[in-house]
Amino acid sequence: MEQKNLILAFALSMAVLLGWSAIFPQQEQPIQQQASVPEKSLDNVTDMGSEEPTMADITGSSSSPTLAPGDPTLSTIVGEQFTISNDLLSLTMDGRGWFTDAKLTQYHESLDANAAQVSILTMNSDSRSVYVNSGVMGRKVAEAFTVIKKTNNSMTVRSVLDNGLVWQRDIILADGSYVVDIEDHIIGGAGQKIYRQVVERHPDKSLNTFYEHMGPTALFSSKLQEPDYDDLDEKPVRMTATGGWTAIMDRYFIAALISNADQDYPYYFKGDGRSYQAGLIDDGKVEGSDAVFHNRMYLGPKSMAVLTDAGEGLERAIDFGWFAFISKPMHTFLMWLYSFVGNFGWCIVLLVLSIKILFYWPTQKSYESMASMRKLQPEMARMKEQFGDDRQRMSQEMMALYKKHKVNPMGGCLPIIIQIPVFFALYKVLLMSIEMRQAPFIGWIHDMSVQDPYFVLPVIMGISMYIQQKLNPQPADPMQAKVMQFLPPVFTILFLFFPAGLVLYWVVNNTLSIAQQKLVMKRMKVD
């Protein structure tokens, strides 16, 4: 394989990265479903049968569970709203026991000075909304929840079911935590069951792609489940597992229901084209004559450190993709650098320097091989004139020439081979890491996770790629040489809309590569 083929392959990889989801929007691997997958292939995840709550179970009526506030079917039962908060999260519950609003005080929608706080839970009538609702299976809430006791970050509320049983809920939001502790008591209701679910209405399905999953997600029996919206439109998914979690998430934030590690749960995913549910049914425990249900919710950022502290494998929600074995250490290293530098842009620069030092020896050998190839350019031009269109003879003579001068024509491929996995790994780190969100660099770059607003870095990257191309041995085939000339502008266009942090990586990498290659050529006296 020659260097030009690797560069073309890399360009094709970039095109696939950008265009696959648009060309093949239905190709995402569906979640394992009982109807099409044998039970034994699900390991500890099994069919939950008919346990999934019906519409009547979920709402206490035949109405949809995803009606928006203001609909006449819900207006008489919404009741009063109650809010608790800590230093990180403000959480609101209404009279149905639904969590309808949650704001993250440390995160804002944009960099504007007056930007609103990020609402991880919200209920909107005509745009994307996410909320958490729950209920007692087969029962209706006859009286809306009212507050019995309340502090800034905790409260006890109570309602009455249609069979006269009292439903009491204790909610605690500890300081410095995105985890909400909830304990439900059905007084005198031993044997009752509760369902809980995260609901997403009007999602932007186009954001769920083959390289970045959004929407319903779960971790069952250490296996990450990522059902596709369109698959759920056709058929719900039902399964059981011990412990785990189920959630709705987007790129940077997640609303997750965390189960008890020692308890079995029936789980379900379902959708109808406009709303999607990720839920579970809780059998709870019996204490005397009461049914008791303890659960936790995580409502917060997809931060590796924070999710890991929350437990139950929540950090698995951050999917670093095929090159996770590179992405995870890279993310850890960047965070370590950030603890000293305090700027992710300079952290990326230091990351490139570290990679260059780590791979200095093989890269040096590669550039020496390329310099030797460049030395042979006049001889190769002479052979081309001598043998004309006799490609077989030309190839034989070239191999003999390489052998005579101890030149490896594949030696120049190594820098590209090294950079491709690192490039894609860093792409996932910049794409998925909330630490990069709204992280500034210098001057005009105020957010490393989005494109350069003035396209300065992509243009510099294109120029650096052009300079590198001029330093490399030129292809003997004129047609291949012309194709190679188009690569710098093609890559420049591709990089226009890439995260600024990723383009910065490539600019710094190209600059250092040019410097190293120039030094090698000077030492070997190659023009």
Side-chain angles (χ1 to χ4, degrees):
M1 179 185 298
E2 296 182 3
Q3 184 186 15
K4 60 180 179 294
N5 294 329
L6 277 173
I7 295 177
L8 288 171
F10 182 68
L12 180 60
S13 298
M14 299 306 303
V16 169
L17 181 67
L18 293 173
W20 186 282
S21 60
I23 299 171
F24 303 106
Q26 306 298 325
Q27 294 300 309
E28 182 171 312
Q29 183 68 29
I31 192 171
Q32 297 168 326
Q33 297 191 25
Q34 186 69 16
S36 59
V37 182
E39 181 176 336
K40 63 181 180 180
S41 68
L42 296 178
D43 299 329
N44 295 326
V45 179
T46 56
D47 184 20
M48 64 172 274
S50 60
E51 286 293 313
E52 179 189 357
T54 64
M55 293 297 101
D57 290 327
I58 295 175
T59 63
S61 68
S62 60
S63 304
S64 166
T66 56
L67 292 174
D71 287 315
T73 53
L74 294 181
S75 59
T76 59
I77 61 172
V78 171
E80 188 180 352
Q81 292 190 330
F82 319 103
T83 300
I84 59 174
S85 62
N86 63 8
D87 53 329
L88 302 177
L89 178 66
S90 172
L91 178 64
T92 299
M93 189 193 82
D94 67 15
R96 295 166 293 184
W98 295 17
F99 296 99
T100 57
D101 188 79
K103 289 182 171 61
L104 305 180
T105 59
Q106 305 298 311
Y107 295 90
H108 294 80
E109 294 290 350
S110 70
L111 290 169
D112 294 338
N114 298 321
Q117 295 173 345
V118 168
S119 293
I120 192 169
L121 297 182
T122 183
M123 294 189 72
N124 299 310
S125 59
D126 56 359
S127 59
R128 181 181 182 269
S129 61
V130 177
Y131 55 93
V132 177
N133 65 1
S134 59
V136 178
M137 296 287 289
R139 303 260 63 95
K140 300 177 184 179
V141 174
E143 297 180 13
F145 279 93
T146 56
V147 172
I148 299 174
K149 181 175 62 176
K150 185 176 182 295
T151 65
N152 287 337
N153 62 350
S154 67
M155 64 179 172
T156 299
V157 294
R158 181 178 292 177
S159 76
V160 179
L161 302 175
D162 59 353
N163 59 357
L165 295 177
V166 173
W167 180 3
Q168 182 170 305
R169 171 175 288 176
D170 297 299
I171 308 169
I172 300 175
L173 181 56
D175 288 337
S177 177
Y178 293 101
V179 177
V180 184
D181 277 286
I182 303 170
E183 188 163 278
D184 291 292
H185 293 254
I186 309 299
I187 299 173
Q192 300 288 325
K193 299 180 181 181
I194 282 182
Y195 73 87
R196 296 189 298 276
Q197 61 182 8
V198 189
V199 181
E200 180 181 31
R201 303 182 72 246
H202 306 300
D204 183 353
K205 297 181 182 181
S206 66
L207 297 177
N208 182 43
T209 64
F210 86 103
Y211 60 87
E212 182 183 12
H213 177 76
M214 296 189 188
T217 312
L219 184 71
F220 302 145
S221 303
S222 299
K223 293 184 178 180
L224 194 64
Q225 306 285 350
E226 298 178 329
D228 184 75
Y229 288 115
D230 294 332
D231 292 335
L232 296 181
D233 289 341
E234 296 179 3
K235 187 173 183 179
V237 177
R238 307 177 181 91
M239 57 190 70
T240 61
T242 301
W245 52 265
T246 187
I248 296 289
M249 71 178 187
D250 59 21
R251 176 176 294 174
Y252 294 122
F253 304 100
I254 182 170
L257 305 177
I258 306 172
S259 300
N260 299 321
D262 60 348
Q263 190 174 340
D264 294 333
Y265 296 86
Y267 290 94
Y268 59 90
F269 294 111
K270 58 183 179 178
D272 60 8
R274 68 184 182 91
S275 66
Y276 298 85
Q277 294 86 44
L280 59 90
I281 297 169
D282 191 345
D283 292 339
K285 297 180 180 179
V286 175
E287 294 183 3
S289 61
D290 301 343
V292 180
F293 310 85
H294 179 264
N295 68 95
R296 296 184 297 155
M297 288 192 304
Y298 178 89
L299 306 172
K302 289 166 63 178
S303 164
M304 180 66 72
V306 177
L307 291 173
T308 301
D309 288 344
E312 299 302 324
L314 267 176
E315 70 277 4
R316 294 280 300 278
I318 305 175
D319 185 4
F320 284 120
W322 299 333
F323 295 104
F325 64 96
I326 300 175
S327 298
K328 289 182 179 179
M330 186 180 293
H331 177 269
T332 301
F333 183 59
L334 281 173
M335 295 306 298
W336 179 78
L337 287 175
Y338 185 77
S339 67
F340 296 99
V341 178
N343 183 296
F344 279 111
W346 293 116
C347 289
I348 291 172
V349 173
L350 292 175
L351 173 67
V352 180
L353 285 170
S354 301
I355 293 173
K356 282 295 183 182
I357 293 171
L358 183 64
F359 293 103
Y360 175 81
W361 186 85
T363 304
Q364 183 77 356
K365 292 297 180 182
S366 173
Y367 288 147
E368 289 175 357
S369 176
M370 292 169 68
S372 299
M373 289 280 292
R374 191 177 178 91
K375 271 187 174 182
L376 298 179
Q377 289 284 298
E379 185 68 16
M380 293 172 65
R382 184 193 64 77
M383 289 168 47
K384 181 181 178 182
E385 292 178 1
Q386 180 178 354
F387 300 111
D389 295 331
D390 190 346
R391 292 182 176 273
Q392 183 176 358
R393 180 66 185 279
M394 178 72 175
S395 297
Q396 292 174 348
E397 293 295 330
M398 286 178 62
M399 291 299 104
L401 183 66
Y402 294 151
K403 185 175 182 180
K404 177 182 177 181
H405 293 274
K406 298 180 180 180
V407 173
N408 181 4
M410 296 179 62
C413 301
L414 188 59
I416 301 297
I417 294 175
I418 293 173
Q419 291 175 45
I420 287 176
V422 172
F423 177 90
F424 284 113
L426 183 61
Y427 178 83
K428 290 293 283 188
V429 169
L430 294 177
L431 187 72
M432 304 302 296
S433 300
I434 194 169
E435 294 86 1
M436 304 293 173
R437 178 182 182 266
Q438 299 177 357
F441 179 36
I442 56 173
W444 71 100
I445 300 178
H446 304 295
D447 188 346
M448 298 291 290
S449 68
V450 300
Q451 69 191 51
D452 182 335
Y454 301 111
F455 307 119
V456 175
L457 286 176
V459 171
I460 296 175
M461 190 281 305
I463 294 171
S464 67
M465 188 174 181
Y466 174 78
I467 295 172
Q468 267 194 306
Q469 191 179 83
K470 290 301 181 181
L471 295 176
N472 295 338
Q474 299 303 306
D477 189 337
M479 181 59 67
Q480 291 178 352
K482 289 182 180 179
V483 171
M484 296 292 285
Q485 290 176 359
F486 282 103
L487 287 181
V490 168
F491 269 66
T492 300
I493 294 172
L494 284 174
F495 275 67
L496 288 177
F497 307 102
F498 272 42
L502 188 68
V503 187
L504 174 65
Y505 165 85
W506 207 251
V507 168
V508 177
N509 181 78
N510 283 1
T511 302
L512 294 176
S513 297
I514 290 169
Q516 185 179 2
Q517 195 167 358
K518 288 280 253 182
L519 289 173
V520 169
M521 292 174 67
K522 183 178 180 180
R523 181 175 59 83
M524 296 181 66
K525 298 179 180 180
V526 178
D527 297 329

